[in-house]
Amino acid sequence: MAPDPNMISLEWHGDALVVIAAGAVEELNWDIVEHAAEIVLDPIRQQKAPMVVFDMSQVKYFGSVFLALLIRCHKLVKTSGGVMVICGLHDLAKDLLHITALDTLWAIYETREEALEAIGA
């Protein structure tokens, strides 16, 4: 199933998967989260030690549904021996991750280039 470009798109940079979240994830609901999860999780499952960058530069804020998706991805990446990082967070999203202490799970970078360099992609 092809990704919905209004919600999520995927790009490969060498061995690293870049998940680009669009503004529509701000309205992601539980009815469609499973579709979004499969878009992201399928290519991660195919990697031995996945390197994943979530580029959030097009999203100002997100709620618990997208947060749940991030956590699912994190668990899969971690159990596969990989690494997941986040880049391009707006201040509201940074605050959310800080308040929930999830900013301790993922390295957070300002730009996609910094994130890719940090994971060796």
Side-chain angles (χ1 to χ4, degrees):
M1 188 175 296
D4 178 350
N6 294 319
M7 185 176 12
I8 293 174
S9 59
L10 307 176
E11 289 181 9
W12 287 97
H13 291 263
D15 292 333
L17 176 64
V18 178
V19 181
I20 304 158
V25 301
E26 295 172 7
E27 298 154 11
L28 188 63
N29 62 47
W30 292 108
D31 296 337
I32 57 174
V33 74
E34 202 56 40
H35 170 69
E38 289 311 308
I39 289 169
V40 176
L41 296 175
D42 279 347
I44 293 172
R45 286 185 188 111
Q46 297 173 23
Q47 301 297 310
K48 272 194 171 172
M51 295 184 294
V52 180
V53 174
F54 268 83
D55 184 341
M56 303 299 293
S57 58
Q58 298 176 33
V59 179
K60 291 190 173 115
Y61 187 78
F62 51 87
S64 60
V65 176
F66 189 74
L67 205 51
L69 176 62
L70 286 174
I71 292 168
R72 283 180 68 183
C73 290
H74 170 76
K75 285 181 180 180
L76 179 59
V77 168
K78 196 75 166 167
T79 60
S80 301
V83 62
M84 181 177 130
V85 299
I86 298 177
C87 69
L89 286 172
H90 287 263
D91 289 339
L92 286 172
K94 280 183 189 175
D95 290 346
L96 174 66
L97 292 182
H98 182 70
I99 289 168
T100 58
L102 291 171
D103 59 348
T104 62
L105 280 184
W106 306 300
I108 298 171
Y109 299 93
E110 290 297 317
T111 67
R112 185 188 307 184
E113 292 76 22
E114 290 172 346
L116 287 167
E117 183 178 330
I119 63 173

